[in-house]
Amino acid sequence: MAGKNQTLGEFIIENQDSFKYTSGELSRLINSIRLAAKVVNHEVNKAGLVDITGAAGDINIQGEDQQKLDVYANDKFIQTLTKRNIVCGIASEEEDDFVAINSQDENNQNKYVVLIDPLDGSSNIDVNVSVGTIFSIFRRVTPAGTPVKLEDFLQKGSKQVAAGYVVYGTSTMLVYTTGDGVNGFTLNPAIGTFYLSHPNMTFPEDGNIYSVNEGNYLDFPLGIKKYIKYCQEEEGDRPYTSRYIGSLVSDFHRNMIKGGIYMYPKGSRNPNGKLRLLYECNPMAFLAEQANGKASDGYVRTMDVEPTELHQRVPFICGSRNMVDKAEEFMREFGE
Ligand SMILES: O=P(O)(O)OC[C@H]1O[C@](O)(COP(=O)(O)O)[C@@H](O)[C@@H]1O
Ligand SMILES: [Mg+2]
Ligand SMILES: [Mg+2]
């Protein structure tokens, strides 16, 4: 197993052969994401000193006020991936439609598309609480050298070839999978290098942390309400502890390390939940399953959901296997 002082660059090269499409293209793509993450990290760390906090003044396709850092991170990831001519298309939370990257050029033989949430946890930017970036990578389904199409992005999560996130927190970490386990790398800010700090990350099968915005409790399906009550009962190893940062990446990261469950159910205000299937739920579900955890909408495995729109939302339950099983049990028994 790789040593703790291995750099991300070395790890990518060393593990290239464990990836079934060993063309090196995916390695170069993950390296480009690493680079863009460092650029964004540099800006995040200066938030409050430079004019990067607050709203950018536009509303994105989600109907949300775009934050300056949303726009900055979006630009940096798209620029970095475009300049390196490493993908044929990008879809982003901050872009109405997918962005074709010179895919009309028949010489562009790039095989991958990337779906990205450039800045996750936007409501926490101005208050110095950890935020993140989430990415999901697929092989295109249309022929290389032809214009990239919507169908290249609307693929089931089970078709992902890689997924990961960056968490900009007390330290900056990049955590990813290519379908062969989950590994975490911590940035040494002094030299700008990511080092393998968390090899083979796995969710404990059980945990005692539940993460949900209880402010929406009255609006939740009955099954979720019953599960939350179950978490709060004085019985056995319960009550569990409630922890909710309000940044999916950070809540997921903590729960993967300590054991826990994250839930963003649907409700009358969010009839399909809030989180986006393609660039939030699918990548986190791939990581969760690769780390022995589980992810669903309460009934259906997240990665089996057939996508129909670029920005579609789905209810999301994700975390320690036995905790997600229990929540699903309550959903089956009590439903909506
Ligand atoms: O404030 P709420 O409704 O609890 O929502 C918090 C959730 O929304 C998100 O901020 C949505 O992500 P974005 O910030 O990328 O839009 C998640 O990170 C987080 O878990
Ligand atoms: Mg997000
Ligand atoms: Mg976002």
Side-chain angles (χ1 to χ4, degrees):
M1 183 153 75
K4 274 239 169 163
N5 53 14
Q6 190 175 28
T7 68
L8 174 53
E10 291 162 342
F11 183 90
I12 291 171
I13 298 300
E14 189 178 293
N15 289 279
Q16 191 166 273
D17 297 338
S18 73
F19 180 67
K20 61 181 177 194
Y21 310 108
T22 51
S23 67
E25 203 178 321
L26 184 70
S27 302
R28 287 193 299 119
L29 175 46
I30 294 173
N31 268 320
S32 304
I33 289 172
R34 167 181 63 144
L35 182 62
K38 288 201 273 187
V39 174
V40 171
N41 177 61
H42 187 64
E43 212 60 20
V44 169
N45 288 343
K46 288 190 296 178
L49 293 177
V50 292
D51 181 25
I52 198 77
T53 55
D58 294 324
I59 304 276
N60 66 15
I61 190 159
Q62 330 277 341
E64 296 161 346
D65 286 323
Q66 277 186 322
Q67 303 300 302
K68 288 179 185 156
L69 209 50
D70 284 325
V71 175
Y72 179 85
N74 187 52
D75 293 348
K76 288 301 161 206
F77 275 94
I78 292 181
Q79 278 164 18
T80 307
L81 297 178
T82 306
K83 275 211 198 103
R84 276 159 185 72
N85 189 19
I86 189 68
V87 289
C88 56
I90 300 172
S92 165
E93 178 189 1
E94 305 307 335
E95 299 285 338
D96 295 5
D97 203 349
F98 63 83
V99 182
I101 309 293
N102 30 322
S103 63
Q104 74 294 341
D105 166 359
E106 65 217 23
N107 305 319
N108 177 340
Q109 293 301 312
N110 292 328
K111 294 185 278 296
Y112 297 112
V113 295
V114 173
L115 300 100
I116 199 162
D117 176 356
L119 205 287
D120 178 62
S122 307
S123 64
N124 283 324
I125 297 169
D126 295 4
V127 291
N128 205 357
V129 172
S130 68
V131 293
T133 292
I134 310 174
F135 63 90
S136 168
I137 301 173
F138 289 92
R139 282 173 73 88
R140 65 180 299 174
V141 290
T142 55
T146 66
V148 73
K149 293 207 176 91
L150 184 57
E151 65 203 83
D152 292 308
F153 299 90
L154 297 187
Q155 300 187 52
K156 275 187 180 178
S158 53
K159 291 270 189 314
Q160 289 175 97
V161 293
Y165 59 82
V166 185
V167 55
Y168 310 103
T170 43
S171 61
T172 295
M173 282 189 68
L174 193 154
V175 176
Y176 81 104
T177 183
T178 55
D180 185 22
V182 175
N183 292 280
F185 301 80
T186 300
L187 181 68
N188 176 337
I191 53 174
T193 299
F194 282 99
Y195 285 91
L196 180 61
S197 53
H198 296 64
N200 243 344
M201 300 180 82
T202 51
F203 269 96
E205 294 231 332
D206 282 295
N208 68 351
I209 295 170
Y210 69 101
S211 312
V212 66
N213 184 341
E214 292 189 67
N216 300 333
Y217 179 84
L218 294 178
D219 204 29
F220 289 158
L222 185 56
I224 296 292
K225 285 179 178 169
K226 294 276 186 187
Y227 178 68
I228 292 173
K229 285 296 161 226
Y230 169 86
C231 294
Q232 297 167 343
E233 277 166 7
E234 300 262 353
E235 175 93 25
D237 62 346
R238 287 168 288 134
Y240 298 151
T241 294
S242 170
R243 287 280 182 280
Y244 190 69
I245 296 170
S247 296
L248 166 64
V249 164
S250 313
D251 283 310
F252 178 96
H253 188 73
R254 183 217 34 254
N255 290 350
M256 180 158 62
I257 291 172
K258 296 199 164 186
I261 185 171
Y262 170 98
M263 299 176 281
Y264 208 109
K266 63 181 180 182
S268 56
R269 278 185 299 256
N270 302 294
N272 296 313
K274 176 181 181 179
L275 301 182
R276 282 53 59 126
L277 174 63
L278 292 180
Y279 41 79
E280 289 174 318
C281 304
N282 269 339
M284 302 316 262
F286 189 21
L287 289 159
E289 290 194 12
Q290 283 292 315
N292 193 34
K294 195 176 177 187
S296 79
D297 65 4
Y299 306 105
V300 179
R301 177 186 178 231
T302 300
M303 294 208 287
D304 286 341
V305 174
E306 192 72 54
T308 52
E309 291 161 42
L310 216 46
H311 301 287
Q312 78 186 78
R313 301 172 192 259
V314 288
F316 193 51
I317 300 176
C318 179
S320 291
R321 176 163 290 285
N322 295 342
M323 298 180 85
V324 176
D325 283 345
K326 195 72 183 174
E328 289 176 343
E329 210 181 284
F330 277 93
M331 285 302 285
R332 281 193 301 278
E333 189 176 348
F334 297 97
E336 307 303 322

